[in-house]
Amino acid sequence: MGNFIRKIRIDEFWRIAEQEVWFQEMSAKGFHLKKLGKYLVTFVKGEKSDVYYKIEPSNWMNLSTVQLEKSEQLGFEYVTNYTVYFTTYHVFSTTNEHAKEQSIIDREVQLKAFETVKKWTRNTIFITFIPTLLLSAIFVAFLFRSEASIYHFVVSEHILFFILVGYILMSLPTAYISMKSISQYSLEQLNSITTIRSSNKKKRRWVLIIGFLSYLLLMTALAFMPIVQIIKMDTKTMPAEAHDLPIIPLADIEQNANLRRESSDIWDEVDWNNRYSVEWSILAPIQYKSNQALIDDQSSYRPYMSYEVYQLQFAQLTALFMDDLIERNEYRVEKKDFTKINDRRFNQLLVYNNGLIKTIVAVKGKAVAYIDYNGQAVEEIILDQLSNRLSTISE
């Protein structure tokens, strides 16, 4: 392994002359071409020498015996090849600079292969553009639909789909530029153009590195984020004391020793009348939902509370997220029925109170909460408890 080095391939596959010059320069430094890949080029360490390279396209992946014998007669050694758009580029090397003027593969074959490259480049861009456009339209329609769009964008991994579509759309202009460049040159011109300056090469190298790392990061995220979500997802019985949770125990609001939990059927070791669930996403790393129910056996008083709380990655999203959270729960209370309250403990606070039913939507820092409470406790007790709980996840 120590005899090999790998370099980022900065030249597009169709820049034949530029790649030939680069391989020649590397051989002069003692690194001789061994293998070509889509992103990486492998060189083998050796003696510094003047080695000249020749790249010729063909529609055939393997050369015939006649062609290989011809290359040997002309003083060439077959090195490697790479295939793009059903066209294979065969790479030869020689120590005779004048031998480069000779063609190993018939010119008509090369021209036909080059036309294949042009055709498939155009077709690929067109084929990629149509489904990408459709996916973009679907995503935009989803994002701006009336029902809680930002909510789903934040709590799920739809952001990954958005990034994927964006990545494809950003790649299309680059592909179009390549197609245009291929189309405006003849094969003879591509075999002679070596006008790329070193400063531009450095810039293109960094663009390629960033593009490759972005692609790798995106593919990793697409593969592992759903797995992380499944691992983080959990549902448990609500503990009697929840000091380490951003959830208010209903008993702390009621403060009534006569109340006990109104238990339901226990399934999978979870009391579904008094439970909380945990979820996770990139934009909302902390997500809790809970339902709690108590009962006073003497008076049949049954307080109930549904509770949702989220810590968002960015505080700038809280206002939009709060609006969508209200819209998502409109079956409980419509937005027009809330009263906006100025309270220093919260960045935003909306309250609906008809005496028995109290619905509270609050923002504190990065934390957003939605409480639907049915009981006799006064509003201030709930707000005081909520402020304390949100303080633990507001930063």
Side-chain angles (χ1 to χ4, degrees):
M1 291 297 290
N3 293 326
F4 296 92
I5 66 165
R6 290 175 175 82
K7 295 279 188 178
I8 296 290
R9 184 177 179 179
I10 64 173
D11 293 308
E12 287 89 345
F13 64 90
W14 49 270
R15 294 182 180 270
I16 293 174
E18 291 172 9
Q19 294 185 83
E20 291 175 346
V21 171
W22 181 39
F23 300 153
Q24 178 184 336
E25 291 173 349
M26 290 298 292
S27 288
K29 297 176 182 178
F31 302 102
H32 305 288
L33 178 64
K34 179 69 175 178
K35 185 179 179 182
L36 274 173
K38 185 175 182 181
Y39 296 106
L40 297 176
V41 182
T42 302
F43 296 92
V44 60
K45 293 181 181 179
E47 296 292 330
K48 296 180 181 180
S49 59
D50 292 327
V51 179
Y52 304 93
Y53 291 86
K54 189 173 184 63
I55 302 174
E56 294 190 349
S58 170
N59 283 334
W60 300 100
M61 185 174 294
N62 297 313
L63 295 180
S64 66
T65 303
V66 174
Q67 289 170 321
L68 290 174
E69 289 177 352
K70 181 180 179 181
S71 68
E72 291 177 1
Q73 292 172 2
L74 293 173
F76 286 98
E77 180 181 345
Y78 189 75
V79 181
T80 185
N81 65 60
Y82 60 98
T83 302
V84 183
Y85 296 132
F86 299 96
T87 298
T88 300
Y89 293 81
H90 299 277
V91 186
F92 305 87
S93 67
T94 180
T95 55
N96 182 359
E97 182 178 6
H98 300 290
K100 282 196 62 183
E101 306 302 323
Q102 304 294 324
S103 292
I104 301 166
I105 301 173
D106 188 80
R107 298 300 290 176
E108 291 185 4
V109 174
Q110 293 190 50
L111 289 169
K112 185 178 179 181
F114 187 61
E115 289 302 318
T116 301
V117 172
K118 290 183 178 181
K119 174 185 174 182
W120 278 99
T121 303
R122 291 192 297 267
N123 291 346
T124 300
I125 293 175
F126 178 77
I127 291 170
T128 305
F129 180 76
I130 296 301
T132 301
L133 191 63
L134 292 174
L135 286 172
S136 302
I138 293 171
F139 181 78
V140 170
F142 168 80
L143 187 61
F144 293 101
R145 68 181 185 176
S146 59
E147 183 188 348
S149 57
I150 300 298
Y151 173 86
H152 289 288
F153 183 76
V154 169
V155 301
S156 68
E157 295 309 330
H158 292 123
I159 185 175
L160 293 177
F161 175 68
F162 174 76
I163 295 173
L164 177 61
V165 172
Y167 180 86
I168 296 174
L169 288 175
M170 289 174 61
S171 301
L172 288 178
T174 303
Y176 174 77
I177 292 171
S178 294
M179 183 199 74
K180 188 176 180 180
S181 299
I182 294 173
S183 299
Q184 70 183 1
Y185 293 125
S186 66
L187 181 61
E188 285 73 18
Q189 288 174 313
L190 291 177
N191 276 304
S192 60
I193 295 173
T194 56
T195 57
I196 300 300
R197 297 179 181 177
S198 59
S199 60
N200 288 336
K201 285 203 170 210
K202 288 181 180 179
K203 181 179 178 181
R204 284 167 54 195
R205 181 182 288 112
W206 278 110
V207 169
L208 183 60
I209 291 173
I210 293 171
F212 175 72
L213 292 178
S214 299
Y215 173 80
L216 188 64
L217 181 62
L218 176 61
M219 291 300 104
T220 302
L222 288 172
F224 285 99
M225 289 308 166
I227 298 174
V228 175
Q229 278 190 308
I230 293 172
I231 294 174
K232 293 278 188 178
M233 193 180 301
D234 198 7
T235 299
K236 298 180 179 180
T237 297
M238 185 71 187
E241 295 183 358
H243 300 301
D244 58 339
L245 297 175
I247 304 173
I248 308 171
L250 183 55
D252 289 1
I253 293 175
E254 294 297 327
Q255 299 178 5
N256 184 343
N258 294 326
L259 291 171
R260 64 170 179 82
R261 287 190 172 184
E262 186 176 13
S263 298
S264 63
D265 293 334
I266 305 297
W267 181 73
D268 199 21
E269 299 183 351
V270 175
D271 179 355
W272 290 88
N273 259 4
N274 294 275
R275 72 184 187 277
Y276 73 94
S277 60
V278 185
E279 295 184 16
W280 177 91
S281 72
I282 294 177
L283 293 181
I286 294 178
Q287 302 178 37
Y288 285 90
K289 297 179 183 179
S290 75
N291 292 299
Q292 300 176 64
L294 302 175
I295 185 171
D296 185 334
D297 292 323
Q298 297 177 353
S299 63
S300 297
Y301 169 54
R302 288 183 170 86
Y304 171 84
M305 183 172 67
S306 174
Y307 184 100
E308 298 179 44
V309 62
Y310 307 86
Q311 183 198 60
L312 306 189
Q313 197 72 257
F314 306 104
Q316 293 84 351
L317 292 173
T318 54
L320 291 173
F321 186 82
M322 182 185 74
D323 289 340
D324 274 0
L325 198 56
I326 293 170
E327 187 174 352
R328 183 172 175 268
N329 289 280
E330 261 193 336
Y331 67 94
R332 289 172 171 161
V333 181
E334 294 185 10
K335 187 175 181 178
K336 62 181 179 64
D337 295 326
F338 281 98
T339 300
K340 186 175 181 179
I341 297 177
N342 293 321
D343 191 316
R344 292 182 178 180
R345 293 172 295 182
F346 304 95
N347 296 100
Q348 295 185 70
L349 180 63
L350 298 177
V351 175
Y352 169 79
N353 189 343
N354 72 352
L356 187 62
I357 298 175
K358 301 171 184 69
T359 304
I360 298 170
V361 188
V363 174
K364 185 170 186 175
K366 295 181 179 179
V368 183
Y370 188 104
I371 296 177
D372 186 50
Y373 168 77
N374 190 321
Q376 298 173 355
V378 297
E379 179 183 304
E380 182 57 32
I381 293 178
I382 302 175
L383 292 178
D384 189 52
Q385 292 279 349
L386 179 60
S387 176
N388 293 335
R389 295 288 171 166
L390 293 187
S391 294
T392 63
I393 60 169
S394 61
E395 299 298 329

